[in-house]
Amino acid sequence: MLGLLSLSTLHNNAIKLVSSQSFVSTSATATKPTCFARNLRVKMSSDTLPPPPEKGIVVGCGGASVDFLAAVATYPTPDDKIRTTNLKVQGGGNAGNALTCAARLGLKPRLISKVANDTQGRDILDEFKADGVDTSFIVVSEQGNSPFTYVIVDNQTKTRTCIHTPGNPPMVPDDLSRENLLSALDDARIAYFDGRLPETALVIAQEAVQKSIPILIDAERKREGLDDLLKLADYVICSEKFPKAWTEAPSLPSALVSILLRLPNINFVIVTLGEDGCIMLERSVSESSGTEEIDVDVLLESLKQQQKDESKTSPTYISSSKTRLRAKGIGTLCGRLFLGTAEKIPPSELIDTTGAGDAFIGAVIYAICADMPPEQMLPFAARVAAANCRALGARAGLPYRTDPRLASFLKQSSQVITSLAK
């Protein structure tokens, strides 16, 4: 009977299923402070912030490198000679960036990776230590080279082009002793993998499963060994192109349904969409007999329509109620669909999108450790990612826990944890 309903009827039904919320920071438009003002702001905000999550140890495995960032007026044409408008050298790599973000937010990350004992490798380690990332489990090779990436940032289009050189020799499972593996996972709240170092990552992930440590996977694109990691995952965050490429589903919403059907251990999957925000599909464990069924593509269009009607600059979310989501030719599952918006950054403040996805992941990791509900997690992660886009490179703009722009989220998180404990 449902299949005979008109599109407009489905649209109207879907509208009834949605709700929305926005989060506004009192200092979202704050200008860059002087050194003295910055120190004063940090002190004022840290006096009123709740403490970080008690279970804040995060284990990450993946890329750690050096980024050579060159900002240019416009991207060069072949055989061109141009000058930079800005140049910066800083740490990079997906796992390295995400864990640096997590550390600045107040977690205690441990990174498993590999560098060489060269100038770049030593700089990588020094930068991690300065940010509070535990480097005890990073393997240092006496020979070879550390990973590095040339990043060309186009000031006109606000895009970046990355040219990566992998580290050599690559990391293998034997580089990490059994003793160090167990030590790294000791008392960990969550394990995170960026899809690189697949053989080593799989060994760590299998041990994490044995210890009942939840696993988050960054599925940026199809990689060797990624399927084995996904089978062990509890959470997945992926790029816009990955879901359809991995599932061969005809649409992005139906691909998300397919991912949760193929991977029964997944609690939620998020696809990041850059300036268009993100889409999240959360699995519902319980299902009542009266739960309504609706086509997932129609539901997403309804969420998008409500999003257009709101037109807010701060990060927001719009969600369905718990419902049965149908993907044609794929199947159905019970869950909630979320549409998260990105923060609207004024063109004069948008500097570089390098590492925005890693910042988003770092914030989601924090949110999981802090037991944030999705309604709070998605705007929080969007706020952190937006802050990172206001500086050149993947780490220069990563906010610290004491950043006033994050205060409302962190205070709400403390209230959520308190209510759960009652």
Side-chain angles (χ1 to χ4, degrees):
M1 185 66 180
L2 185 63
L4 300 177
L5 293 176
S6 67
L7 181 62
S8 61
T9 302
L10 287 173
H11 174 84
N12 292 333
N13 288 341
I15 286 291
K16 298 176 184 178
L17 295 170
V18 301
S19 62
S20 68
Q21 182 70 40
S22 70
F23 292 79
V24 181
S25 170
T26 58
S27 58
T29 59
T31 57
K32 289 184 178 179
T34 62
C35 181
F36 172 79
R38 182 185 296 112
N39 291 336
L40 181 61
R41 282 200 327 180
V42 167
K43 185 179 188 303
M44 290 175 64
S45 59
S46 63
D47 287 343
T48 58
L49 283 178
E54 290 185 9
K55 296 182 179 180
I57 296 177
V58 179
V59 177
C61 175
S65 65
V66 171
D67 285 351
F68 296 90
L69 296 127
V72 296
T74 58
Y75 192 83
T77 58
D79 207 30
D80 235 353
K81 290 184 178 180
I82 61 174
R83 293 190 177 186
T84 62
T85 60
N86 197 356
L87 179 66
K88 181 172 288 188
V89 180
Q90 65 180 233
N94 294 118
N97 297 336
L99 291 192
T100 297
C101 177
R104 292 189 184 184
L105 293 175
L107 299 182
K108 300 174 182 177
R110 301 165 178 167
L111 178 59
I112 299 173
S113 191
K114 186 173 186 176
V115 299
N117 187 19
D118 53 13
T119 300
Q120 295 171 3
R122 291 187 289 272
D123 289 344
I124 291 170
L125 296 177
D126 289 343
E127 191 169 341
F128 280 139
K129 292 174 183 176
D131 270 312
V133 178
D134 189 341
T135 62
S136 304
F137 307 100
I138 296 180
V139 177
V140 180
S141 172
E142 289 303 319
Q143 298 180 345
N145 65 274
S146 298
F148 63 92
T149 304
Y150 295 117
V151 184
I152 303 174
V153 180
D154 187 331
N155 292 336
Q156 186 176 51
T157 62
K158 304 299 183 182
T159 58
R160 84 285 184 274
T161 302
C162 302
I163 307 170
H164 181 65
T165 299
N168 187 57
M171 188 171 192
V172 295
D174 288 344
D175 286 334
L176 186 68
S177 68
R178 174 72 178 172
E179 180 182 1
N180 279 350
L181 169 59
L182 296 177
S183 180
L185 292 174
D186 185 42
D187 206 27
R189 172 64 176 82
I190 189 170
Y192 154 67
F193 303 89
D194 69 3
R196 292 174 172 79
L197 315 178
E199 294 179 358
T200 303
L202 183 59
V203 171
I204 300 168
Q206 289 170 336
E207 189 64 36
V209 170
Q210 292 298 315
K211 294 181 174 296
S212 299
I213 299 171
I215 292 173
L216 185 149
I217 302 294
D218 173 10
E220 184 180 36
R221 61 176 181 267
K222 296 172 71 172
R223 299 180 188 273
E224 178 187 354
L226 180 60
D227 286 7
D228 293 329
L229 285 174
L230 288 172
K231 293 174 184 176
L232 304 177
D234 298 271
Y235 314 99
V236 176
I237 300 178
C238 49
S239 65
E240 182 175 3
K241 296 180 180 180
F242 177 82
K244 290 176 66 176
W246 192 70
T247 64
E248 298 183 352
S251 68
L252 186 53
S254 62
L256 298 184
V257 171
S258 179
I259 288 175
L260 262 61
L261 289 174
R262 292 188 187 190
L263 304 171
N265 295 327
I266 298 292
N267 294 319
F268 67 66
V269 56
I270 300 174
V271 54
T272 56
L273 306 173
E275 65 180 0
D276 292 326
C278 68
I279 302 171
M280 171 178 166
L281 181 56
E282 178 188 45
R283 188 192 306 274
S284 295
V285 178
S286 60
E287 178 182 352
S288 61
S289 57
T291 303
E292 186 174 353
E293 181 174 306
I294 191 167
D295 182 270
V296 68
D297 290 290
V298 173
L299 180 56
L300 179 62
E301 289 305 313
S302 298
L303 296 176
K304 287 182 177 179
Q305 184 59 51
Q306 184 169 337
Q307 179 194 81
K308 290 179 181 179
D309 295 341
E310 296 203 351
S311 300
K312 295 175 180 176
T313 58
S314 295
T316 67
Y317 77 90
I318 300 172
S319 71
S320 72
S321 60
K322 182 174 67 175
T323 186
R324 285 192 62 80
L325 302 170
R326 182 181 67 256
K328 185 177 180 180
I330 295 173
T332 62
L333 64 82
C334 189
R336 288 198 298 165
L337 190 67
F338 291 80
L339 182 61
T341 68
E343 181 174 326
K344 292 180 173 60
I345 305 174
S348 61
E349 297 180 20
L350 179 58
I351 304 299
D352 179 20
T353 60
T354 302
D358 300 330
F360 185 93
I361 290 174
V364 169
I365 291 173
Y366 179 91
I368 292 172
C369 292
D371 295 318
M372 285 187 188
E375 294 86 347
Q376 185 182 351
M377 175 181 72
L378 296 181
F380 172 66
R383 174 58 55 83
V384 171
N388 197 50
C389 293
R390 288 176 161 92
L392 182 63
R395 299 186 189 174
L398 287 174
Y400 289 87
R401 178 178 181 80
T402 49
D403 191 313
R405 294 171 293 184
L406 307 182
S408 61
F409 297 98
L410 299 178
K411 290 175 182 177
Q412 289 178 33
S413 172
S414 176
Q415 294 170 1
V416 169
I417 294 175
T418 300
S419 65
L420 290 175
K422 291 180 179 180

